Amino acid sequence: MEKSIITGVATTSIAIGAAWISPAWTANDARQSLPYSDAVRVAEGAALYTDYCASCHGANLEGQQPNWQDRDADGYLPAPPHDETGHTWHHDNDLLMRIVRDGTEAIVGGTYKSNMIGFGDVMNDNEIASVLGYIKSTWPTEIQNIHNEINARVLP
């Protein structure tokens, strides 16, 4: 069942809510890799996660609340979990990098509302990749492998 869900997510365009997001890169661009098996980068990512992400996404990647898929009275979604129960691993590396760098509203566009700001002014791409590598390092091997497959299918 998970693989059929993943197949729909790992297409050239990725849906978040009602908006469609196309990758910013072309087939000639190099994709960012996440250093989830590099102990030094994972440790760096863990520290950066604590500094910039844990206040919303939880110290243990658990998200703001169990019903993270339900909008609040103002139309905002709570911060989702980044562990295997969330949807982070459903997205390819490039999209994850763009969301962290630019913020969700900037990526989705339109009238999409999000409290997720961009962190590109406080972290560079290598630091963002370290944070995402730390997050990925916490996922079970099966989920890491599925995420690797998603990234392998995004570009030929």
Side-chain angles (χ1 to χ4, degrees), residues 118 135-136 154 156:
I135 291 168
K136 184 170 180 171
V154 173

Side-chain angles (χ1 to χ4, degrees), residues 20-57:
W20 288 91
I21 302 171
S22 297
W25 37 254
T26 67
N28 296 324
D29 293 331
R31 287 177 291 163
Q32 179 74 45
S33 62
L34 303 183
Y36 68 99
S37 59
D38 179 332
V40 172
R41 296 282 304 275
V42 167
E44 174 190 33
L48 291 165
Y49 178 90
T50 298
D51 290 345
Y52 297 112
C53 312
S55 62
C56 292
H57 292 281

Side-chain angles (χ1 to χ4, degrees), residues 21 23 30 39-40 42 46 52 58 61-62 71 74 94 108 110-111 117 123 140:
I21 302 171
V40 172
V42 167
Y52 297 112
L61 304 121
E62 72 274 14
R71 295 188 182 278
D74 295 322
D94 183 70
V108 177
T111 59
I117 65 167
M123 288 190 286

Side-chain angles (χ1 to χ4, degrees), residues 42 70 86 109 113 125:
V42 167
D70 295 334
K113 295 170 72 170
D125 281 358

Side-chain angles (χ1 to χ4, degrees), residues 4-27:
S4 64
I5 293 170
I6 301 306
T7 302
V9 175
T11 59
T12 302
S13 296
I14 299 173
I16 293 182
W20 288 91
I21 302 171
S22 297
W25 37 254
T26 67

Side-chain angles (χ1 to χ4, degrees), residues 25 29-35 41 92-94 97 101 125-130 132 151:
W25 37 254
D29 293 331
R31 287 177 291 163
Q32 179 74 45
S33 62
L34 303 183
R41 296 282 304 275
D92 69 87
N93 294 346
D94 183 70
M97 291 287 298
R101 183 187 319 111
D125 281 358
N126 284 333
E127 291 169 324
I128 293 170
S130 290
L132 293 168
N151 282 289

